[in-house]
Amino acid sequence: MGEAAMEPASRRPLTGLLVAQLVSVLGTSMSALAIPWLVLTSTGSATRTGLIAFAELAPYVAMQALGGPLVDRAGARRTYVLGNAAAAVVLCAVAALDVIGLLPLGALAGLVAAVGAVRGTADCAGQVLVPGAAGLGEVPLERAAGLHGSANQTGLLVGAAAAGAAAGPCRASW
């Protein structure tokens, strides 16, 4: 019998992770600009705008620092997928509640705090997934980490531009 042809390594896991990271950061970047802008245009208050931004950022930073044990227990992939899905659902709820006029400032603060917490945990998990996805695709870790960083930076850049382009007249409801 001759030598069996070697199957090329599948890069689908790494490609999937990079696309997921791009989409996740795109949404994060858009909401990071859109929500404070909504508060500022609705209230005219820089203080309230800053408080809402802080309400999202503080849990995000805390979960980035403290989410490791949760990621270990629940699994990085599960945490990444569920955290990003939960953030998307809550952000859709924010938009829907604002459109129908049922989004007081306190509720918005609570919702964005929840978004910050799940995003922080999901982003913590995303970093853990890079080495495994690189290994499955036989991609050098340095290259996979660079691609992951590029997906992250592209999402930030495009998301900011998309948020600016999508900004329209906001209702003054607070």
Side-chain angles (χ1 to χ4, degrees):
M1 262 205 193
E3 265 184 54
M6 293 202 50
E7 291 278 329
S10 174
R11 294 193 175 157
R12 287 181 65 190
L14 181 59
T15 301
L17 178 60
L18 296 174
V19 169
Q21 182 67 15
L22 177 64
V23 170
S24 173
V25 174
L26 183 74
T28 298
S29 181
M30 289 179 72
S31 68
L33 290 171
I35 291 173
W37 184 256
L38 170 69
V39 175
L40 183 62
T41 58
S42 297
T43 67
S45 170
T47 302
R48 289 180 180 176
T49 302
L51 288 172
I52 291 298
F54 180 78
E56 183 175 3
L57 190 57
Y60 177 86
V61 171
M63 293 310 293
Q64 278 277 293
L66 305 172
L70 176 62
V71 171
D72 285 344
R73 284 189 200 104
R77 183 175 179 201
R78 177 179 295 171
T79 304
Y80 186 74
V81 170
L82 292 178
N84 282 307
V89 168
V90 174
L91 286 172
C92 286
V94 166
L97 290 170
D98 181 59
V99 166
I100 61 175
L102 296 176
L103 187 63
L105 197 59
L108 177 61
L111 290 170
V112 297
V115 167
V118 297
R119 276 188 181 153
T121 308
D123 287 355
C124 181
Q127 296 295 326
V128 174
L129 293 172
V130 173
L136 289 170
E138 298 178 0
V139 173
L141 184 54
E142 308 82 41
R143 183 171 181 205
L147 290 169
H148 190 261
S150 294
N152 192 56
Q153 294 303 314
T154 301
L156 289 172
L157 177 68
V158 174
C170 296
R171 297 179 322 104
S173 60
W174 293 304

